[in-house]
Amino acid sequence: MDMSVFDLFKIGIGPSSSHTVGPMVAARRFLLDNGPLDDVVGVTAELYGSLALTGVGHGTDKAVILGLMGETPQDVDPDRVDQMLAAAGERGELALLGTKTVPFVRAQHLLFHKTENLPEHPNGMRFILRRSDGSEVRKVYYSVGGGFIRAEGEGASGDVAGNAAPATPVPYPFDTMADLLAHGERSGLSIPAMLRANELARMPEEHLDAGLDRIWRVMKSCIAHGLETAGQLPGGLNVKRRAATLWRQAQGADRANDLPHDALNGVSLYAMAVNEENAAGGRVVTAPTNGAAGIIPAVLKYYAEDCKPLDPTAGVRDFLLTAAAIGMLCKRNASISGAEIGCQGEVGVACAMAAAGLVAALGGSNPQIENAAEIGIEHHLGMTCDPIGGLVQIPCIERNGMGAVKAITAASLSLKGDGTHFVSLDEVIETMRQTGADMQAKYKETSLGGLAIHVVTVNHAAC
């Protein structure tokens, strides 16, 4: 596969990688691919399937407008988003890519087709560009999970701009964990060492390390901001942010209600802090999705601060490289899209990535790394994606806290053994794929089943 660690870990904004980051990238790419825009007189965006059903709660409408304005997930200022959108709404027009102004009214030019699906993926969108001579350009894109997009009929795309990544020869090519383990046996290298060698075929070492360090800085900043910010999350459910309050309680003198296992309480709060930031539309790292963005930062912070590593910088880099390898395998051989295979492909995959990364950072063997990842997915098989109100809040925020703790448990179980295990990672990834294929569509990010219909919620006025 030709995929980079920076394809799995992308800096963006919440609340969803597939419903916010991907559509923003697709809208912008549509205009870039069909320029110049001098004779354009109008644009329409149409959302289908899961993007239509949960799009308002997931911020898809906002993301599409921002993408048409030329904004990118990694560079847009989350604190200015509402102001930018309000200004565009008041004017009734958009400056496409910041240059060509056309009329744009949400009710007319941003359409939700809730009972229709496009053929290649549940997260489909169609953009229509109208020119002054009466001609139209129509293009379909799919947001396939984790911020990845592809155009209709196109292979999986690999870079943050949504362009198909050219094949890059690497010293340790792999499509399965069996491939990676075989390379390790022949070369004597660890999984993070092989991933590093593959990345160095694409970029200089200083670029790789600087990029990994930046990812960790953004993750740490997200945790810190989430642990300091109280209040109520947007969207209409009136969900209160809890991480900051619980964190202050955990640091206080009154520990009368502590349980013996509360040493891991901090880890769950780190994860919840990130996902509260995500739900509020803040700056997060897609890891491998936004809905599961809290697990890897939480376990990384646990490693860097509680495991007392001698060289935390090198350990964090090994962690991220190893986690990326697991994410690549899951994306290639199953999916990381909740709309495609449920939350097992989001929280389940993130748990596996974090467990494998922790084992690698602690010096575990390649078989122990595989074992940890397998445990992480195995115990999330069948997990549905049924967000209440179409918002990435319930059960998503708590689910990240639980996933982080399970990742540490998986790593501990693996490190206490010799790497021998019964079920291979490749087998459990294939099981996840088949389970997702068998899962009813109402349990795959449509808010038409599960918790989403068994809890009374407010209606979104914009739906």
Side-chain angles (χ1 to χ4, degrees):
M1 69 181 76
D2 195 75
M3 203 181 304
S4 168
V5 60
F6 301 117
D7 296 324
L8 269 296
F9 298 115
K10 295 187 279 285
I11 298 171
I13 62 170
S16 172
S17 49
S18 61
H19 288 56
T20 312
V21 174
M24 191 186 303
V25 171
R28 182 173 181 270
R29 177 181 166 186
F30 170 68
L31 296 180
L32 290 173
D33 286 352
N34 292 286
L37 305 176
D38 298 343
D39 63 343
V40 171
V41 296
V43 66
T44 299
E46 300 180 343
L47 306 176
Y48 293 83
S50 178
L51 291 183
L53 288 163
T54 63
V56 173
H58 284 55
T60 309
D61 51 344
K62 299 177 181 180
V64 166
I65 294 171
L66 290 169
L68 292 174
M69 294 167 69
E71 298 290 341
T72 62
Q74 65 270 27
D75 293 323
V76 67
D77 182 353
D79 294 331
R80 293 190 60 244
V81 164
D82 289 341
Q83 177 185 344
M84 295 164 62
L85 294 172
E90 290 172 4
R91 293 192 303 266
E93 59 186 21
L94 283 184
L96 302 182
L97 298 182
T99 59
K100 175 64 177 179
T101 300
V102 298
F104 192 91
V105 178
R106 286 197 193 202
Q108 299 174 20
H109 300 113
L110 182 56
L111 307 178
F112 293 76
H113 300 286
K114 296 185 179 183
T115 61
E116 298 179 55
N117 280 296
L118 297 178
E120 294 182 18
H121 194 277
N123 291 335
M125 63 201 109
R126 177 182 286 113
F127 297 98
I128 304 168
L129 202 63
R130 295 181 296 279
R131 300 192 183 276
S132 57
D133 63 2
S135 64
E136 292 184 345
V137 178
R138 294 171 173 259
K139 189 71 175 180
V140 169
Y141 294 89
Y142 296 94
S143 181
V144 296
F148 289 86
I149 67 164
R150 65 168 183 255
E152 184 175 34
E154 182 178 75
S157 45
D159 69 5
V160 73
N163 300 310
T168 301
V170 295
Y172 303 103
F174 64 99
D175 289 325
T176 64
M177 177 55 80
D179 292 339
L180 207 48
L181 291 173
H183 283 310
E185 290 180 4
R186 287 191 293 268
S187 66
L189 294 176
S190 67
I191 287 174
M194 289 185 286
L195 264 290
R196 172 170 286 273
N198 285 354
E199 294 295 332
L200 294 181
R202 303 181 177 97
M203 67 191 77
E205 188 164 32
E206 58 270 24
H207 290 182
L208 172 61
D209 287 338
L212 294 172
D213 295 346
R214 183 183 180 217
I215 292 295
W216 178 219
R217 283 197 304 273
V218 175
M219 287 180 171
K220 285 192 292 185
S221 177
C222 187
I223 292 173
H225 195 269
L227 292 178
E228 295 171 354
T229 307
Q232 190 168 284
L233 294 173
L237 288 183
N238 301 322
V239 172
K240 291 183 179 180
R241 297 176 68 137
R242 292 180 291 163
T245 300
L246 293 173
W247 179 249
R248 284 194 297 271
Q249 291 175 356
Q251 307 309 302
D254 184 9
R255 308 291 291 271
N257 293 322
D258 278 6
L259 298 175
H261 64 266
D262 270 1
L264 288 179
N265 183 50
V267 174
S268 64
L269 294 184
Y270 302 154
M272 290 174 61
V274 170
N275 281 82
E276 288 178 352
E277 285 291 291
N278 177 65
R283 175 75 66 215
V284 297
V285 175
T286 299
T289 68
N290 283 29
I295 294 172
I296 288 172
V299 178
L300 258 176
K301 186 173 174 67
Y302 166 80
Y303 162 74
E305 296 185 0
D306 294 307
C307 294
K308 310 285 190 234
L310 295 177
D311 188 351
T313 299
V316 167
R317 292 169 181 170
D318 283 349
F319 186 119
L320 290 172
L321 288 166
T322 304
I326 304 305
M328 292 174 193
L329 290 170
C330 292
K331 185 182 186 305
R332 184 195 187 283
N333 298 318
S335 175
I336 57 173
S337 168
E340 196 167 21
I341 65 169
C343 199
Q344 59 177 352
E346 296 200 33
V347 165
V349 171
C351 177
M353 292 170 68
L358 181 57
V359 171
L362 293 173
S365 67
N366 290 348
Q368 287 173 322
I369 291 170
E370 183 205 12
N371 188 18
E374 185 277 324
I375 293 171
I377 293 178
E378 181 179 334
H379 297 290
H380 286 92
L381 288 174
M383 180 176 281
T384 59
C385 184
D386 51 355
I388 294 174
L391 298 165
V392 192
Q393 297 180 15
I394 304 172
C396 319
I397 294 170
E398 286 183 355
R399 192 169 279 179
N400 274 258
M402 300 300 103
V405 172
K406 289 168 79 171
I408 294 172
T409 302
S412 177
L413 286 171
S414 174
L415 287 168
K416 286 179 170 60
D418 61 3
T420 303
H421 49 286
F422 195 83
V423 180
S424 73
L425 179 62
D426 292 330
E427 289 169 334
V428 82
I429 290 174
E430 172 60 16
T431 303
M432 179 174 66
R433 186 195 67 78
Q434 293 182 12
T435 302
D438 292 340
M439 190 182 291
Q440 294 183 51
K442 67 181 181 180
Y443 297 118
K444 294 190 281 190
E445 209 165 358
T446 61
S447 288
L448 296 176
L451 284 175
I453 65 168
H454 288 104
V455 178
V456 177
T457 65
V458 298
N459 292 319
H460 295 291
C463 287

